[in-house]
Amino acid sequence: MDGSPKGREIRKISGDGAAIATRGGDMQSLGVQMRESAALLRSIVDGAKGKGYSIDSLKETAGEVHADLAKAGERYEPSGKVIREYGEVLVEVQPTIDTIVENCVELWAKYQSASGAYGDAGRRIPPTDETAAEAALREQGLDDLRGDRDAAYELWELEAAKYDLPYETWDKAYDDALTGLEDANERGVSDSFWDNALPAIEVILTVLTFVGVALAIAAIVIGGPFILLAAALVGIAALALTVWKVAAGRGGWQDILIAAIGVFPFGRLAKLGTLFKGAGTFASRLGTFAKGFGSDLVGISAFRELRALRGLQGFLRGPVTNSAGNLTQSRGILDQIATVRNAVDGISYRGLAGWSRITGGSAAPISNVLTDVFAGAGPAVTNRVNGALAGTVLDGAQHGNGALDIALNVIDSVPKPGYGAYNDIDGMIGDAGDAADVDRWSGELARSAR
């Protein structure tokens, strides 16, 4: 179909004008309420209204929100106004445009039919024995068909000429709405780079959550310092992004708490008793505890444990001396040292031994083996091994794990990453449900684009 006299495509304008106008009116009313509420909160903060303990408590919160509420009102009220006005214009011109378009489609079909009939007749070859009278009748028939075609096009033109005026009315309303929304946004709340980055941050957080769960499972089944370090770094990255998201206004303190729980080394809490007993000053014991806590937090403990294990293996392969510093000649002690050495050489972070991390943390394979071999070794051997482990991250590992250690390490290994995944999945399901309730006016307005 040809365009209108001003060259526009003749088509219907989509969108539900009544729904857009209603939504705009609601937004405009909400903006007014926001501004009025912000003014009331401001007066409370300034002390112009209200006295008493409850008002004092309200001031603390009101002081933080009244400015943002006022900005939101300044944006919502004019935005709602231009959207409402656009919807009202659409309600006015849409039926007229729809009728014109439907008539034009019908008339254009008649014109095409008449044009086709004229073309078919014009292409028909006259018979060789056609008489002059027959030729005159054929030419008259062609003239009639051409007249029908031209008349059909003229009728279509008359209807198409009605299109431009209501279209221009809608077009101006559309441009006014776009300009009004841009102006309202500039005067109201403007999104910063970090605001625009928040959707990407939330996607990254979701990915990090599931990566963390996968690494936690791998650490339980496989073990190994590199997997433990990767899991710790993923947890810290998720915590940092969560703090960033909350600081930008998405989420609350509970999100930070959940993310922090994912990296907090609960198993280290079982070592709190070392702060109040043992050698050295309280300050030195506190430093040792803090060092171990920080190493657990960032996943370095596994590397320190591995280094301590290598040192213990080197010690057990070295010369065995007695209390006087001379090489021992006791076959019993040498045999027991060999037994301990063979057991320590068999310690691995991999394979089935990794399952013991569930109840023992990253040092479980080492701790469990040392506990077993110490049970069958004499004091001469255990004293030597204790001396070799003194001051390392494995100091005390030969005593096994108590109930508190086991409970805290189970929490570290199983529920924490699982709860994080549940929390994110629940959030995604909630977001999917909320998606049906988003502002429909923006979609309607976009679908009305030229």
Side-chain angles (χ1 to χ4, degrees), residues 74-353:
E74 291 169 4
R75 179 181 183 180
Y76 264 65
E77 183 180 0
S79 295
K81 179 176 181 293
V82 297
I83 291 170
R84 175 183 56 78
E85 291 173 348
Y86 169 77
E88 291 171 350
V89 171
L90 185 58
V91 168
E92 177 185 347
V93 303
Q94 195 174 42
T96 301
I97 290 176
D98 287 351
T99 299
I100 293 172
V101 172
E102 290 169 0
N103 291 340
C104 283
V105 169
E106 182 180 350
L107 291 171
W108 185 260
K110 291 180 179 179
Y111 160 72
Q112 287 185 312
S113 177
S115 179
Y118 171 70
D120 291 342
R123 288 188 294 273
R124 192 175 299 122
I125 299 174
T128 55
D129 58 349
E130 183 182 50
T131 64
E134 291 173 338
L137 287 174
R138 179 172 55 78
E139 290 296 333
Q140 181 61 46
L142 282 175
D143 288 341
D144 292 342
L145 289 173
R146 182 169 55 249
D148 293 342
R149 181 200 63 181
D150 294 343
Y153 190 79
E154 288 174 1
L155 289 174
W156 175 86
E157 276 188 318
L158 289 174
E159 191 67 21
K162 302 176 184 178
Y163 182 79
D164 285 318
L165 182 59
Y167 180 91
E168 288 170 355
T169 301
W170 168 84
D171 187 58
K172 181 178 183 303
Y174 182 84
D175 288 339
D176 289 346
L178 291 181
T179 302
L181 287 173
E182 291 173 357
D183 291 344
N185 188 65
E186 290 175 359
R187 293 195 308 268
V189 182
S190 298
D191 292 338
S192 66
F193 167 80
W194 306 119
D195 293 326
N196 294 328
L198 280 175
I201 291 174
E202 291 179 336
V203 171
I204 294 172
L205 275 172
T206 300
V207 172
L208 287 177
T209 296
F210 291 104
V211 170
V213 172
L215 287 173
I217 294 172
I220 291 172
V221 177
I222 303 173
F226 289 102
I227 292 179
L228 298 174
L229 177 61
L233 293 179
V234 166
I236 291 174
L239 174 60
L241 288 176
T242 301
V243 172
W244 182 6
K245 183 184 78 169
V246 173
R250 294 271 183 95
W253 63 267
Q254 65 273 15
D255 297 298
I256 296 177
L257 178 62
I258 291 170
I261 286 174
V263 297
F264 191 91
F266 283 90
R268 179 59 57 173
L269 296 181
K271 307 298 187 293
L272 282 173
T274 60
L275 295 177
F276 307 100
K277 61 182 180 179
T281 65
F282 178 79
S284 66
R285 294 195 298 272
L286 179 61
T288 301
F289 176 82
K291 183 179 180 180
F293 189 92
S295 296
D296 283 358
L297 189 69
V298 298
I300 297 177
S301 285
F303 288 94
R304 295 177 60 212
E305 291 162 6
L306 197 60
R307 184 175 62 185
L309 177 63
R310 297 290 180 261
L312 177 60
Q313 289 172 330
F315 168 79
L316 293 172
R317 291 191 183 94
V320 181
T321 61
N322 56 27
S323 58
N326 300 318
L327 291 176
T328 184
Q329 302 298 318
S330 171
R331 174 52 54 187
I333 291 178
L334 292 174
D335 289 344
Q336 287 180 343
I337 289 290
T339 300
V340 174
R341 181 177 63 246
N342 293 335
V344 169
D345 286 345
I347 292 174
S348 173
Y349 276 95
R350 300 179 299 276
L352 293 178

Side-chain angles (χ1 to χ4, degrees), residues 2-41:
D2 289 347
S4 71
K6 293 188 177 182
R8 297 188 177 97
E9 178 189 359
I10 298 177
R11 63 176 181 83
K12 294 183 178 182
I13 305 300
S14 62
D16 187 339
I20 294 173
T22 299
R23 182 60 181 168
D26 292 342
M27 290 180 63
Q28 185 177 6
S29 176
L30 179 60
V32 172
Q33 295 174 37
M34 285 179 172
R35 289 195 302 102
E36 292 175 348
S37 299
L40 176 60
L41 291 175

